[in-house]
Amino acid sequence: MKPAKYPPINPRVPHMLHGADYNPEQWQRYPEILAEDIRLMKLAKCNVMSVGIFSWVSLEPKEGEFTFEWLDHVLDSFAQNGIYALMATPSGARPAWMSAKYPEVLRVNERRVRNLHGFRHNHCYTSPVYREKIRLMNTKLAERYAHHPAVIGWHISNEYGGDCHCDYCQAAFRAWLQQEYETLEELNHAWWTGFWSHTYTDWEQIESPAPHGETQVHGMNLDWRRFVTHQTADFMKHEIAPLKEKKPDLPVTTNFMEFFEGLNYWKFADFLDVVSWDSYPTWHDQGQDDRKQAGKIAMMHDIVRSLKGGQPWMLMESTPSLTNWQPVSKLKRPGMHLLSSLQAVAHGSDTVQYFQWRKSRGSSEKWHGAVVDHTGHEHTRVFADVTEVGESLMKLNEVVGTTVPAEAAIIFDWENRWAVNDSQGPRNMGIKYEETVQSHYFALWQQGVPIDVIDMEQDFAPYKLLIAPMLYMVRPGVGERIQAFVENGGTFVATYWSGLVDEHDLAFLGGFPGPLRRTLGIWAEEIDGLHDHDRNEIRPIEGNVLGLKQSYEAAELCELIHLEGAEALAVYGCDFYKDRPALTVHHLGQGKAYYIASRNSEAFQQDFYQQLVAQTGVRKALAAVLPEGVHAALRTDGTRDYIFVMNFIDKQQQMRLDESRYTELLSGEKVYRELYLKPYEVKVLKLSGK
Ligand code: GLA
Ligand code: ZN
């Protein structure tokens, strides 16, 4: 059983955390700024700052010469003023002296060209020198700060990502492959290298994928991505070791990125005490209707929460106003800052943090939103927005540690994603794995259903409803676990383009959907890739158990399936496969397994999941009808429920609640049956008398 409530991220701080990346090393020639910043931090109700993220050269200006005094001063001043710090390790960017003296620390790109010094997030994660330099630095940081009264956790590096193709990395790749496969014969089979005479006869012949070399061996592409994840996580572990040596209970985190494809974040979670991510939505890019954007961000929040089994997480970065690297830097409309900040809390974050505290004067982020603008004082709209978040979080301290009681889960699996996107299959102009998972997620999220977003390795037993859109790859044991889930009474949903390959991206022989075939009770014979202008439709069969009545548009992908125990609920409306099954259900043991054979319209998704939510009885955040654009999310400690009601459209909304005993925590007011929401307003309801 998962706990319903966790201790705070650092038990010393039983509050919601509110703060920002703080880069005082950029302001060393402005000594008056630290005291002014601290005054402003208190005003904005900020209680935590992430420091040292890119400070390497300020901490080690010459090789072996360390200058921690300025950082001592910052941290001591924080401690005196009740501000906490997340202490970062500086590996995200390195000093020029290091690149000059040890070129091996510079990353080599896929064309085998070594970078010049510059930019950031571009070290070789295998280089013995880089590893030694960061071990030394982290050891010193730990010795000096692990027990500092201001320090409540470690921020490891920054947004790990990318790959390196240097000789060290090639050797490490080969060693990793040897461990995985033991013999070349095994590797050649797994990679299907008999194709185009690609068989390897010596380990030394293996080179990482390259645009001017190998790209067509899908098994290798997949393994390269696995290796990059492995090697990056290994580098992270190497960074963490000296920190844990000094104070094992000081929590460590690293900041993840939105739907970042390059690293399988599930392989990092075990080594972190808490997961965090950096959220930069493009609010207001669809006019004043932010539902799509909100749904996408909600899903990422849910991934991050699910990475550590539902434990509260950290919103490590978000912008207080605009994001200057996006194509258009639109300001958040009034209300949006609080709404988007509390949306993270609603999905399980115990923090709201920003990039960054004070706007840089120069370089590429001088126009990126920050809490303190170049103008320097607190009389700005953004500062007021930030202060409002700070004040709101102070009213939500009782929410700290509470969890999201999800009874539905969606599988979004990184390795599956890599394989699908590389598959050269029925629709190379847009196979759309990510969008497809999101569209299934949206249909539940719109109904206010708490959802975990997991990979296929997780335990399915806690859920009543399990959805696996486009589960192209099925790794060993997964088919059996899904079957057991259904037999034990679960409801499972699969779609077209599922059960096609194993963990090496080798097609299953003997009929698709491979290991899911028995559970789904169908055989998928062929799949039709449709052009953008092509349409089909699916027609519900009269009296179908889902009560579907209208026809729905189908596009892009239509699979031709045969019933093998399943029952058809809808059939195709046109083309040569007219009247063949398009939607099926299979009863197995105590449960049911649905198969959606075509990519259908949003209207289908809505109707289908409305029925499934009703039939499975999965928990909703709120048993009330939500108006268009209003979303509800739930946190609970097992006894007390906190319901976040969020209006994502620029329109006043009104709804009728299921209960008349709610208290709204931000205003402290009682709410009777009617709930009014201003444009972009968020309310937090707690049931009184409970
Ligand atoms: C990323 C980085 C930050 C900063 C922000 C700007 O998330 O981690 O250092 O560059 O982007 O949005
Ligand atoms: Zn390298």
Side-chain angles (χ1 to χ4, degrees), residues 26 28 53 103 106 109 171 263 269 325 368 423 440 488 536 538 605 634 652:
Q26 293 178 20
Q28 290 199 28
I53 299 175
L106 297 163
N109 72 17
L263 295 172
W325 49 263
H368 192 289
S423 67
H440 288 256
N488 292 329
N536 203 317
I538 67 164
Q605 302 282 94
L634 174 64
Q652 160 110 15

PDB file of all heavy atoms in Angstrom, residues 26 28 53 103 106 109 171 263 269 325 368 423 440 488 536 538 605 634 652:
ATOM      1  N   GLN A  26      26.757  36.356 -10.373  1.00  0.00           N
ATOM      2  CA  GLN A  26      26.704  37.328 -11.476  1.00  0.00           C
ATOM      3  C   GLN A  26      26.777  38.774 -10.959  1.00  0.00           C
ATOM      4  O   GLN A  26      26.945  39.707 -11.728  1.00  0.00           O
ATOM      5  CB  GLN A  26      25.408  37.150 -12.277  1.00  0.00           C
ATOM      6  CG  GLN A  26      25.336  35.836 -13.031  1.00  0.00           C
ATOM      7  CD  GLN A  26      24.015  35.650 -13.788  1.00  0.00           C
ATOM      8  OE1 GLN A  26      23.288  36.593 -14.076  1.00  0.00           O
ATOM      9  NE2 GLN A  26      23.710  34.404 -14.112  1.00  0.00           N
ATOM     10  N   GLN A  28      28.720  39.963  -8.275  1.00  0.00           N
ATOM     11  CA  GLN A  28      29.777  40.173  -7.281  1.00  0.00           C
ATOM     12  C   GLN A  28      30.320  41.602  -7.281  1.00  0.00           C
ATOM     13  O   GLN A  28      30.850  42.058  -6.278  1.00  0.00           O
ATOM     14  CB  GLN A  28      30.878  39.137  -7.480  1.00  0.00           C
ATOM     15  CG  GLN A  28      30.367  37.760  -7.071  1.00  0.00           C
ATOM     16  CD  GLN A  28      31.485  36.772  -6.793  1.00  0.00           C
ATOM     17  OE1 GLN A  28      32.567  37.140  -6.405  1.00  0.00           O
ATOM     18  NE2 GLN A  28      31.210  35.492  -6.983  1.00  0.00           N
ATOM     19  N   ILE A  53      24.167  26.873  -9.153  1.00  0.00           N
ATOM     20  CA  ILE A  53      23.899  25.984 -10.298  1.00  0.00           C
ATOM     21  C   ILE A  53      24.974  26.109 -11.380  1.00  0.00           C
ATOM     22  O   ILE A  53      25.419  25.113 -11.924  1.00  0.00           O
ATOM     23  CB  ILE A  53      22.485  26.230 -10.863  1.00  0.00           C
ATOM     24  CG1 ILE A  53      21.444  25.935  -9.790  1.00  0.00           C
ATOM     25  CG2 ILE A  53      22.231  25.362 -12.099  1.00  0.00           C
ATOM     26  CD1 ILE A  53      20.011  26.239 -10.174  1.00  0.00           C
ATOM     27  N   PRO A 103      40.937  19.037 -23.032  1.00  0.00           N
ATOM     28  CA  PRO A 103      39.899  19.023 -24.092  1.00  0.00           C
ATOM     29  C   PRO A 103      38.966  17.814 -24.011  1.00  0.00           C
ATOM     30  O   PRO A 103      37.854  17.861 -24.528  1.00  0.00           O
ATOM     31  CB  PRO A 103      40.717  18.999 -25.382  1.00  0.00           C
ATOM     32  CG  PRO A 103      42.064  19.521 -25.004  1.00  0.00           C
ATOM     33  CD  PRO A 103      42.297  19.161 -23.572  1.00  0.00           C
ATOM     34  N   LEU A 106      35.260  18.229 -23.237  1.00  0.00           N
ATOM     35  CA  LEU A 106      34.349  18.798 -24.235  1.00  0.00           C
ATOM     36  C   LEU A 106      33.645  17.672 -24.991  1.00  0.00           C
ATOM     37  O   LEU A 106      34.272  16.694 -25.402  1.00  0.00           O
ATOM     38  CB  LEU A 106      35.139  19.645 -25.238  1.00  0.00           C
ATOM     39  CG  LEU A 106      35.856  20.871 -24.661  1.00  0.00           C
ATOM     40  CD1 LEU A 106      36.921  21.355 -25.643  1.00  0.00           C
ATOM     41  CD2 LEU A 106      34.859  21.987 -24.378  1.00  0.00           C
ATOM     42  N   ASN A 109      30.239  15.579 -30.931  1.00  0.00           N
ATOM     43  CA  ASN A 109      28.891  15.378 -31.464  1.00  0.00           C
ATOM     44  C   ASN A 109      28.807  14.138 -32.357  1.00  0.00           C
ATOM     45  O   ASN A 109      29.802  13.459 -32.589  1.00  0.00           O
ATOM     46  CB  ASN A 109      28.365  16.643 -32.158  1.00  0.00           C
ATOM     47  CG  ASN A 109      29.055  16.913 -33.490  1.00  0.00           C
ATOM     48  OD1 ASN A 109      29.698  16.037 -34.083  1.00  0.00           O
ATOM     49  ND2 ASN A 109      28.926  18.134 -33.964  1.00  0.00           N
ATOM     50  N   ALA A 171      34.001   3.499 -26.103  1.00  0.00           N
ATOM     51  CA  ALA A 171      34.507   2.342 -25.348  1.00  0.00           C
ATOM     52  C   ALA A 171      33.488   1.935 -24.278  1.00  0.00           C
ATOM     53  O   ALA A 171      33.239   0.742 -24.063  1.00  0.00           O
ATOM     54  CB  ALA A 171      35.850   2.677 -24.723  1.00  0.00           C
ATOM     55  N   LEU A 263      16.317  11.173 -22.378  1.00  0.00           N
ATOM     56  CA  LEU A 263      16.667  10.359 -21.214  1.00  0.00           C
ATOM     57  C   LEU A 263      15.423   9.696 -20.650  1.00  0.00           C
ATOM     58  O   LEU A 263      14.386  10.351 -20.494  1.00  0.00           O
ATOM     59  CB  LEU A 263      17.297  11.229 -20.115  1.00  0.00           C
ATOM     60  CG  LEU A 263      18.637  11.884 -20.444  1.00  0.00           C
ATOM     61  CD1 LEU A 263      19.027  12.867 -19.350  1.00  0.00           C
ATOM     62  CD2 LEU A 263      19.741  10.843 -20.665  1.00  0.00           C
ATOM     63  N   ALA A 269      14.992   7.797 -11.193  1.00  0.00           N
ATOM     64  CA  ALA A 269      14.158   8.037 -10.005  1.00  0.00           C
ATOM     65  C   ALA A 269      14.700   7.361  -8.743  1.00  0.00           C
ATOM     66  O   ALA A 269      14.686   7.958  -7.662  1.00  0.00           O
ATOM     67  CB  ALA A 269      12.731   7.586 -10.292  1.00  0.00           C
ATOM     68  N   TRP A 325      13.068  32.179 -24.412  1.00  0.00           N
ATOM     69  CA  TRP A 325      13.591  31.309 -25.475  1.00  0.00           C
ATOM     70  C   TRP A 325      12.481  30.731 -26.336  1.00  0.00           C
ATOM     71  O   TRP A 325      12.742  30.008 -27.286  1.00  0.00           O
ATOM     72  CB  TRP A 325      14.464  30.197 -24.901  1.00  0.00           C
ATOM     73  CG  TRP A 325      13.886  29.432 -23.741  1.00  0.00           C
ATOM     74  CD1 TRP A 325      14.146  29.662 -22.419  1.00  0.00           C
ATOM     75  CD2 TRP A 325      12.966  28.332 -23.777  1.00  0.00           C
ATOM     76  NE1 TRP A 325      13.444  28.778 -21.630  1.00  0.00           N
ATOM     77  CE2 TRP A 325      12.713  27.947 -22.434  1.00  0.00           C
ATOM     78  CE3 TRP A 325      12.324  27.630 -24.807  1.00  0.00           C
ATOM     79  CZ2 TRP A 325      11.845  26.904 -22.091  1.00  0.00           C
ATOM     80  CZ3 TRP A 325      11.462  26.597 -24.469  1.00  0.00           C
ATOM     81  CH2 TRP A 325      11.230  26.244 -23.128  1.00  0.00           C
ATOM     82  N   HIS A 368      14.737  37.262 -19.914  1.00  0.00           N
ATOM     83  CA  HIS A 368      13.857  36.192 -19.388  1.00  0.00           C
ATOM     84  C   HIS A 368      13.189  36.696 -18.120  1.00  0.00           C
ATOM     85  O   HIS A 368      13.789  37.413 -17.325  1.00  0.00           O
ATOM     86  CB  HIS A 368      14.712  34.962 -19.072  1.00  0.00           C
ATOM     87  CG  HIS A 368      13.911  33.717 -18.798  1.00  0.00           C
ATOM     88  ND1 HIS A 368      13.161  33.554 -17.640  1.00  0.00           N
ATOM     89  CD2 HIS A 368      13.723  32.590 -19.519  1.00  0.00           C
ATOM     90  CE1 HIS A 368      12.568  32.361 -17.687  1.00  0.00           C
ATOM     91  NE2 HIS A 368      12.886  31.765 -18.813  1.00  0.00           N
ATOM     92  N   SER A 423      10.341   3.741 -35.864  1.00  0.00           N
ATOM     93  CA  SER A 423       9.907   2.459 -36.419  1.00  0.00           C
ATOM     94  C   SER A 423       9.812   2.405 -37.943  1.00  0.00           C
ATOM     95  O   SER A 423       9.794   1.338 -38.513  1.00  0.00           O
ATOM     96  CB  SER A 423       8.586   2.019 -35.795  1.00  0.00           C
ATOM     97  OG  SER A 423       7.539   2.882 -36.169  1.00  0.00           O
ATOM     98  N   HIS A 440      -5.578  10.541 -24.852  1.00  0.00           N
ATOM     99  CA  HIS A 440      -6.274   9.633 -23.920  1.00  0.00           C
ATOM    100  C   HIS A 440      -6.255  10.227 -22.510  1.00  0.00           C
ATOM    101  O   HIS A 440      -7.238  10.168 -21.786  1.00  0.00           O
ATOM    102  CB  HIS A 440      -5.618   8.244 -23.932  1.00  0.00           C
ATOM    103  CG  HIS A 440      -5.906   7.481 -25.190  1.00  0.00           C
ATOM    104  ND1 HIS A 440      -6.815   6.444 -25.246  1.00  0.00           N
ATOM    105  CD2 HIS A 440      -5.431   7.626 -26.452  1.00  0.00           C
ATOM    106  CE1 HIS A 440      -6.865   5.980 -26.496  1.00  0.00           C
ATOM    107  NE2 HIS A 440      -6.037   6.673 -27.237  1.00  0.00           N
ATOM    108  N   ASN A 488      -7.904 -10.229 -12.771  1.00  0.00           N
ATOM    109  CA  ASN A 488      -8.263  -9.859 -11.399  1.00  0.00           C
ATOM    110  C   ASN A 488      -9.293  -8.744 -11.315  1.00  0.00           C
ATOM    111  O   ASN A 488      -9.501  -8.166 -10.245  1.00  0.00           O
ATOM    112  CB  ASN A 488      -7.009  -9.446 -10.623  1.00  0.00           C
ATOM    113  CG  ASN A 488      -6.100 -10.636 -10.408  1.00  0.00           C
ATOM    114  OD1 ASN A 488      -6.570 -11.766 -10.286  1.00  0.00           O
ATOM    115  ND2 ASN A 488      -4.797 -10.394 -10.389  1.00  0.00           N
ATOM    116  N   ASN A 536     -12.056   7.979 -42.360  1.00  0.00           N
ATOM    117  CA  ASN A 536     -12.965   6.854 -42.274  1.00  0.00           C
ATOM    118  C   ASN A 536     -13.912   7.204 -41.140  1.00  0.00           C
ATOM    119  O   ASN A 536     -13.851   8.315 -40.592  1.00  0.00           O
ATOM    120  CB  ASN A 536     -12.207   5.543 -42.009  1.00  0.00           C
ATOM    121  CG  ASN A 536     -12.997   4.322 -42.459  1.00  0.00           C
ATOM    122  OD1 ASN A 536     -14.213   4.234 -42.224  1.00  0.00           O
ATOM    123  ND2 ASN A 536     -12.330   3.392 -43.119  1.00  0.00           N
ATOM    124  N   ILE A 538     -16.180   5.297 -37.630  1.00  0.00           N
ATOM    125  CA  ILE A 538     -16.573   4.075 -36.941  1.00  0.00           C
ATOM    126  C   ILE A 538     -18.028   4.218 -36.501  1.00  0.00           C
ATOM    127  O   ILE A 538     -18.458   5.285 -36.060  1.00  0.00           O
ATOM    128  CB  ILE A 538     -15.645   3.714 -35.761  1.00  0.00           C
ATOM    129  CG1 ILE A 538     -15.728   4.713 -34.615  1.00  0.00           C
ATOM    130  CG2 ILE A 538     -14.202   3.599 -36.227  1.00  0.00           C
ATOM    131  CD1 ILE A 538     -15.130   4.182 -33.321  1.00  0.00           C
ATOM    132  N   GLN A 605     -13.186   9.964 -27.978  1.00  0.00           N
ATOM    133  CA  GLN A 605     -12.410   9.835 -26.732  1.00  0.00           C
ATOM    134  C   GLN A 605     -13.273  10.238 -25.542  1.00  0.00           C
ATOM    135  O   GLN A 605     -13.287   9.579 -24.515  1.00  0.00           O
ATOM    136  CB  GLN A 605     -11.179  10.736 -26.763  1.00  0.00           C
ATOM    137  CG  GLN A 605     -10.232  10.490 -27.903  1.00  0.00           C
ATOM    138  CD  GLN A 605      -9.364   9.278 -27.664  1.00  0.00           C
ATOM    139  OE1 GLN A 605      -9.695   8.190 -28.103  1.00  0.00           O
ATOM    140  NE2 GLN A 605      -8.260   9.471 -26.970  1.00  0.00           N
ATOM    141  N   LEU A 634      -7.188  16.596  -7.126  1.00  0.00           N
ATOM    142  CA  LEU A 634      -7.401  16.212  -5.731  1.00  0.00           C
ATOM    143  C   LEU A 634      -6.104  15.816  -5.045  1.00  0.00           C
ATOM    144  O   LEU A 634      -5.299  15.072  -5.596  1.00  0.00           O
ATOM    145  CB  LEU A 634      -8.357  15.002  -5.729  1.00  0.00           C
ATOM    146  CG  LEU A 634      -8.668  14.295  -4.417  1.00  0.00           C
ATOM    147  CD1 LEU A 634      -9.404  15.222  -3.467  1.00  0.00           C
ATOM    148  CD2 LEU A 634      -9.521  13.049  -4.699  1.00  0.00           C
ATOM    149  N   GLN A 652     -15.656  34.231 -16.845  1.00  0.00           N
ATOM    150  CA  GLN A 652     -16.234  33.957 -15.523  1.00  0.00           C
ATOM    151  C   GLN A 652     -17.044  32.652 -15.593  1.00  0.00           C
ATOM    152  O   GLN A 652     -17.722  32.399 -16.576  1.00  0.00           O
ATOM    153  CB  GLN A 652     -17.147  35.134 -15.192  1.00  0.00           C
ATOM    154  CG  GLN A 652     -18.175  34.868 -14.130  1.00  0.00           C
ATOM    155  CD  GLN A 652     -17.863  35.623 -12.854  1.00  0.00           C
ATOM    156  OE1 GLN A 652     -17.047  36.539 -12.848  1.00  0.00           O
ATOM    157  NE2 GLN A 652     -18.512  35.242 -11.778  1.00  0.00           N
TER     158      GLN A 652
END
